[in-house]
mmCIF file with all atom_site columns, all heavy atoms in Angstrom:
data_model
loop_
_atom_site.group_PDB
_atom_site.id
_atom_site.type_symbol
_atom_site.label_atom_id
_atom_site.label_alt_id
_atom_site.label_comp_id
_atom_site.label_asym_id
_atom_site.label_entity_id
_atom_site.label_seq_id
_atom_site.pdbx_PDB_ins_code
_atom_site.Cartn_x
_atom_site.Cartn_y
_atom_site.Cartn_z
_atom_site.occupancy
_atom_site.B_iso_or_equiv
_atom_site.pdbx_formal_charge
_atom_site.auth_seq_id
_atom_site.auth_comp_id
_atom_site.auth_asym_id
_atom_site.auth_atom_id
_atom_site.pdbx_PDB_model_num
ATOM 1   N N   . THR E 1 207 ? 13.433 19.554 -7.311 1.00 0.00 ? 207 THR E N   1
ATOM 2   C CA  . THR E 1 207 ? 14.253 20.429 -6.477 1.00 0.00 ? 207 THR E CA  1
ATOM 3   C C   . THR E 1 207 ? 13.832 21.882 -6.643 1.00 0.00 ? 207 THR E C   1
ATOM 4   O O   . THR E 1 207 ? 13.826 22.421 -7.754 1.00 0.00 ? 207 THR E O   1
ATOM 5   C CB  . THR E 1 207 ? 15.743 20.293 -6.840 1.00 0.00 ? 207 THR E CB  1
ATOM 6   O OG1 . THR E 1 207 ? 16.145 18.929 -6.708 1.00 0.00 ? 207 THR E OG1 1
ATOM 7   C CG2 . THR E 1 207 ? 16.607 21.156 -5.918 1.00 0.00 ? 207 THR E CG2 1
ATOM 8   N N   . THR E 1 208 ? 13.470 22.523 -5.520 1.00 0.00 ? 208 THR E N   1
ATOM 9   C CA  . THR E 1 208 ? 13.077 23.928 -5.545 1.00 0.00 ? 208 THR E CA  1
ATOM 10  C C   . THR E 1 208 ? 14.033 24.820 -4.761 1.00 0.00 ? 208 THR E C   1
ATOM 11  O O   . THR E 1 208 ? 14.054 26.029 -4.964 1.00 0.00 ? 208 THR E O   1
ATOM 12  C CB  . THR E 1 208 ? 11.653 24.108 -4.995 1.00 0.00 ? 208 THR E CB  1
ATOM 13  O OG1 . THR E 1 208 ? 11.596 23.570 -3.667 1.00 0.00 ? 208 THR E OG1 1
ATOM 14  C CG2 . THR E 1 208 ? 10.634 23.402 -5.877 1.00 0.00 ? 208 THR E CG2 1
ATOM 15  N N   . LEU E 1 209 ? 14.822 24.214 -3.849 1.00 0.00 ? 209 LEU E N   1
ATOM 16  C CA  . LEU E 1 209 ? 15.804 24.981 -3.089 1.00 0.00 ? 209 LEU E CA  1
ATOM 17  C C   . LEU E 1 209 ? 17.100 24.190 -2.990 1.00 0.00 ? 209 LEU E C   1
ATOM 18  O O   . LEU E 1 209 ? 17.098 22.962 -2.892 1.00 0.00 ? 209 LEU E O   1
ATOM 19  C CB  . LEU E 1 209 ? 15.312 25.320 -1.682 1.00 0.00 ? 209 LEU E CB  1
ATOM 20  C CG  . LEU E 1 209 ? 14.145 26.312 -1.615 1.00 0.00 ? 209 LEU E CG  1
ATOM 21  C CD1 . LEU E 1 209 ? 12.868 25.578 -1.270 1.00 0.00 ? 209 LEU E CD1 1
ATOM 22  C CD2 . LEU E 1 209 ? 14.413 27.431 -0.623 1.00 0.00 ? 209 LEU E CD2 1
ATOM 23  N N   . ARG E 1 210 ? 18.212 24.918 -3.005 1.00 0.00 ? 210 ARG E N   1
ATOM 24  C CA  . ARG E 1 210 ? 19.529 24.300 -2.977 1.00 0.00 ? 210 ARG E CA  1
ATOM 25  C C   . ARG E 1 210 ? 20.461 25.209 -2.193 1.00 0.00 ? 210 ARG E C   1
ATOM 26  O O   . ARG E 1 210 ? 20.474 26.427 -2.396 1.00 0.00 ? 210 ARG E O   1
ATOM 27  C CB  . ARG E 1 210 ? 20.044 24.118 -4.412 1.00 0.00 ? 210 ARG E CB  1
ATOM 28  C CG  . ARG E 1 210 ? 21.467 23.592 -4.551 1.00 0.00 ? 210 ARG E CG  1
ATOM 29  C CD  . ARG E 1 210 ? 21.907 23.682 -5.997 1.00 0.00 ? 210 ARG E CD  1
ATOM 30  N NE  . ARG E 1 210 ? 23.248 23.175 -6.182 1.00 0.00 ? 210 ARG E NE  1
ATOM 31  C CZ  . ARG E 1 210 ? 23.551 21.965 -6.623 1.00 0.00 ? 210 ARG E CZ  1
ATOM 32  N NH1 . ARG E 1 210 ? 22.575 21.136 -6.952 1.00 0.00 ? 210 ARG E NH1 1
ATOM 33  N NH2 . ARG E 1 210 ? 24.799 21.572 -6.753 1.00 0.00 ? 210 ARG E NH2 1
ATOM 34  N N   . GLY E 1 211 ? 21.234 24.627 -1.276 1.00 0.00 ? 211 GLY E N   1
ATOM 35  C CA  . GLY E 1 211 ? 22.165 25.441 -0.504 1.00 0.00 ? 211 GLY E CA  1
ATOM 36  C C   . GLY E 1 211 ? 23.423 24.681 -0.153 1.00 0.00 ? 211 GLY E C   1
ATOM 37  O O   . GLY E 1 211 ? 23.354 23.520 0.269  1.00 0.00 ? 211 GLY E O   1
ATOM 38  N N   . GLU E 1 212 ? 24.575 25.307 -0.333 1.00 0.00 ? 212 GLU E N   1
ATOM 39  C CA  . GLU E 1 212 ? 25.844 24.722 0.094  1.00 0.00 ? 212 GLU E CA  1
ATOM 40  C C   . GLU E 1 212 ? 26.118 25.202 1.514  1.00 0.00 ? 212 GLU E C   1
ATOM 41  O O   . GLU E 1 212 ? 26.340 26.399 1.740  1.00 0.00 ? 212 GLU E O   1
ATOM 42  C CB  . GLU E 1 212 ? 26.987 25.111 -0.841 1.00 0.00 ? 212 GLU E CB  1
ATOM 43  C CG  . GLU E 1 212 ? 28.306 24.449 -0.472 1.00 0.00 ? 212 GLU E CG  1
ATOM 44  C CD  . GLU E 1 212 ? 29.409 24.741 -1.468 1.00 0.00 ? 212 GLU E CD  1
ATOM 45  O OE1 . GLU E 1 212 ? 29.098 24.967 -2.655 1.00 0.00 ? 212 GLU E OE1 1
ATOM 46  O OE2 . GLU E 1 212 ? 30.580 24.750 -1.064 1.00 0.00 ? 212 GLU E OE2 1
ATOM 47  N N   . LEU E 1 213 ? 26.096 24.281 2.463  1.00 0.00 ? 213 LEU E N   1
ATOM 48  C CA  . LEU E 1 213 ? 26.178 24.626 3.874  1.00 0.00 ? 213 LEU E CA  1
ATOM 49  C C   . LEU E 1 213 ? 27.458 24.090 4.490  1.00 0.00 ? 213 LEU E C   1
ATOM 50  O O   . LEU E 1 213 ? 27.991 23.060 4.073  1.00 0.00 ? 213 LEU E O   1
ATOM 51  C CB  . LEU E 1 213 ? 24.975 24.060 4.623  1.00 0.00 ? 213 LEU E CB  1
ATOM 52  C CG  . LEU E 1 213 ? 23.583 24.415 4.060  1.00 0.00 ? 213 LEU E CG  1
ATOM 53  C CD1 . LEU E 1 213 ? 22.507 23.803 4.930  1.00 0.00 ? 213 LEU E CD1 1
ATOM 54  C CD2 . LEU E 1 213 ? 23.403 25.914 3.944  1.00 0.00 ? 213 LEU E CD2 1
ATOM 55  N N   . ASP E 1 214 ? 27.952 24.787 5.507  1.00 0.00 ? 214 ASP E N   1
ATOM 56  C CA  . ASP E 1 214 ? 29.106 24.321 6.259  1.00 0.00 ? 214 ASP E CA  1
ATOM 57  C C   . ASP E 1 214 ? 28.730 23.097 7.075  1.00 0.00 ? 214 ASP E C   1
ATOM 58  O O   . ASP E 1 214 ? 27.594 22.960 7.542  1.00 0.00 ? 214 ASP E O   1
ATOM 59  C CB  . ASP E 1 214 ? 29.621 25.422 7.185  1.00 0.00 ? 214 ASP E CB  1
ATOM 60  C CG  . ASP E 1 214 ? 30.229 26.598 6.427  1.00 0.00 ? 214 ASP E CG  1
ATOM 61  O OD1 . ASP E 1 214 ? 30.691 26.381 5.283  1.00 0.00 ? 214 ASP E OD1 1
ATOM 62  O OD2 . ASP E 1 214 ? 30.228 27.717 6.965  1.00 0.00 ? 214 ASP E OD2 1
ATOM 63  N N   . VAL E 1 215 ? 29.698 22.212 7.270  1.00 0.00 ? 215 VAL E N   1
ATOM 64  C CA  . VAL E 1 215 ? 29.504 21.013 8.088  1.00 0.00 ? 215 VAL E CA  1
ATOM 65  C C   . VAL E 1 215 ? 30.531 21.040 9.215  1.00 0.00 ? 215 VAL E C   1
ATOM 66  O O   . VAL E 1 215 ? 31.718 21.279 8.980  1.00 0.00 ? 215 VAL E O   1
ATOM 67  C CB  . VAL E 1 215 ? 29.683 19.727 7.257  1.00 0.00 ? 215 VAL E CB  1
ATOM 68  C CG1 . VAL E 1 215 ? 29.400 18.495 8.124  1.00 0.00 ? 215 VAL E CG1 1
ATOM 69  C CG2 . VAL E 1 215 ? 28.775 19.740 6.037  1.00 0.00 ? 215 VAL E CG2 1
ATOM 70  N N   . ARG E 1 216 ? 30.090 20.803 10.426 1.00 0.00 ? 216 ARG E N   1
ATOM 71  C CA  . ARG E 1 216 ? 31.007 20.762 11.570 1.00 0.00 ? 216 ARG E CA  1
ATOM 72  C C   . ARG E 1 216 ? 30.784 19.483 12.349 1.00 0.00 ? 216 ARG E C   1
ATOM 73  O O   . ARG E 1 216 ? 29.761 18.808 12.192 1.00 0.00 ? 216 ARG E O   1
ATOM 74  C CB  . ARG E 1 216 ? 30.782 21.973 12.486 1.00 0.00 ? 216 ARG E CB  1
ATOM 75  C CG  . ARG E 1 216 ? 29.387 22.041 13.098 1.00 0.00 ? 216 ARG E CG  1
ATOM 76  C CD  . ARG E 1 216 ? 29.274 23.179 14.095 1.00 0.00 ? 216 ARG E CD  1
ATOM 77  N NE  . ARG E 1 216 ? 27.947 23.333 14.658 1.00 0.00 ? 216 ARG E NE  1
ATOM 78  C CZ  . ARG E 1 216 ? 27.457 22.616 15.658 1.00 0.00 ? 216 ARG E CZ  1
ATOM 79  N NH1 . ARG E 1 216 ? 28.195 21.658 16.205 1.00 0.00 ? 216 ARG E NH1 1
ATOM 80  N NH2 . ARG E 1 216 ? 26.243 22.830 16.111 1.00 0.00 ? 216 ARG E NH2 1
ATOM 81  N N   . GLU E 1 217 ? 31.739 19.142 13.192 1.00 0.00 ? 217 GLU E N   1
ATOM 82  C CA  . GLU E 1 217 ? 31.578 17.967 14.039 1.00 0.00 ? 217 GLU E CA  1
ATOM 83  C C   . GLU E 1 217 ? 30.518 18.247 15.095 1.00 0.00 ? 217 GLU E C   1
ATOM 84  O O   . GLU E 1 217 ? 30.465 19.337 15.660 1.00 0.00 ? 217 GLU E O   1
ATOM 85  C CB  . GLU E 1 217 ? 32.900 17.605 14.706 1.00 0.00 ? 217 GLU E CB  1
ATOM 86  C CG  . GLU E 1 217 ? 32.837 16.335 15.530 1.00 0.00 ? 217 GLU E CG  1
ATOM 87  C CD  . GLU E 1 217 ? 34.175 15.937 16.111 1.00 0.00 ? 217 GLU E CD  1
ATOM 88  O OE1 . GLU E 1 217 ? 35.147 16.704 15.945 1.00 0.00 ? 217 GLU E OE1 1
ATOM 89  O OE2 . GLU E 1 217 ? 34.232 14.852 16.727 1.00 0.00 ? 217 GLU E OE2 1
ATOM 90  N N   . ALA E 1 218 ? 29.676 17.258 15.339 1.00 0.00 ? 218 ALA E N   1
ATOM 91  C CA  . ALA E 1 218 ? 28.626 17.418 16.345 1.00 0.00 ? 218 ALA E CA  1
ATOM 92  C C   . ALA E 1 218 ? 29.249 17.529 17.724 1.00 0.00 ? 218 ALA E C   1
ATOM 93  O O   . ALA E 1 218 ? 30.232 16.855 18.040 1.00 0.00 ? 218 ALA E O   1
ATOM 94  C CB  . ALA E 1 218 ? 27.669 16.236 16.290 1.00 0.00 ? 218 ALA E CB  1
ATOM 95  N N   . VAL E 1 219 ? 28.679 18.381 18.542 1.00 0.00 ? 219 VAL E N   1
ATOM 96  C CA  . VAL E 1 219 ? 29.159 18.594 19.904 1.00 0.00 ? 219 VAL E CA  1
ATOM 97  C C   . VAL E 1 219 ? 28.013 18.260 20.855 1.00 0.00 ? 219 VAL E C   1
ATOM 98  O O   . VAL E 1 219 ? 26.889 18.739 20.682 1.00 0.00 ? 219 VAL E O   1
ATOM 99  C CB  . VAL E 1 219 ? 29.618 20.052 20.116 1.00 0.00 ? 219 VAL E CB  1
ATOM 100 C CG1 . VAL E 1 219 ? 30.079 20.269 21.549 1.00 0.00 ? 219 VAL E CG1 1
ATOM 101 C CG2 . VAL E 1 219 ? 30.731 20.400 19.146 1.00 0.00 ? 219 VAL E CG2 1
ATOM 102 N N   . SER E 1 220 ? 28.295 17.451 21.860 1.00 0.00 ? 220 SER E N   1
ATOM 103 C CA  . SER E 1 220 ? 27.256 17.076 22.824 1.00 0.00 ? 220 SER E CA  1
ATOM 104 C C   . SER E 1 220 ? 27.000 18.223 23.789 1.00 0.00 ? 220 SER E C   1
ATOM 105 O O   . SER E 1 220 ? 27.811 19.138 23.933 1.00 0.00 ? 220 SER E O   1
ATOM 106 C CB  . SER E 1 220 ? 27.677 15.834 23.612 1.00 0.00 ? 220 SER E CB  1
ATOM 107 O OG  . SER E 1 220 ? 28.777 16.133 24.462 1.00 0.00 ? 220 SER E OG  1
ATOM 108 N N   . ASP E 1 221 ? 25.864 18.165 24.483 1.00 0.00 ? 221 ASP E N   1
ATOM 109 C CA  . ASP E 1 221 ? 25.549 19.197 25.471 1.00 0.00 ? 221 ASP E CA  1
ATOM 110 C C   . ASP E 1 221 ? 26.603 19.237 26.569 1.00 0.00 ? 221 ASP E C   1
ATOM 111 O O   . ASP E 1 221 ? 26.972 20.297 27.060 1.00 0.00 ? 221 ASP E O   1
ATOM 112 C CB  . ASP E 1 221 ? 24.171 18.916 26.094 1.00 0.00 ? 221 ASP E CB  1
ATOM 113 C CG  . ASP E 1 221 ? 23.045 19.086 25.082 1.00 0.00 ? 221 ASP E CG  1
ATOM 114 O OD1 . ASP E 1 221 ? 23.280 19.780 24.068 1.00 0.00 ? 221 ASP E OD1 1
ATOM 115 O OD2 . ASP E 1 221 ? 21.958 18.537 25.312 1.00 0.00 ? 221 ASP E OD2 1
ATOM 116 N N   . ALA E 1 222 ? 27.123 18.061 26.960 1.00 0.00 ? 222 ALA E N   1
ATOM 117 C CA  . ALA E 1 222 ? 28.134 18.008 28.008 1.00 0.00 ? 222 ALA E CA  1
ATOM 118 C C   . ALA E 1 222 ? 29.420 18.702 27.568 1.00 0.00 ? 222 ALA E C   1
ATOM 119 O O   . ALA E 1 222 ? 30.052 19.430 28.346 1.00 0.00 ? 222 ALA E O   1
ATOM 120 C CB  . ALA E 1 222 ? 28.427 16.558 28.379 1.00 0.00 ? 222 ALA E CB  1
#
Side-chain angles (χ1 to χ4, degrees):
T207 303
T208 57
L209 292 106
R210 175 189 181 99
E212 184 175 332
L213 307 181
D214 292 335
V215 183
R216 62 174 177 81
E217 184 176 5
V219 179
S220 68
D221 293 339

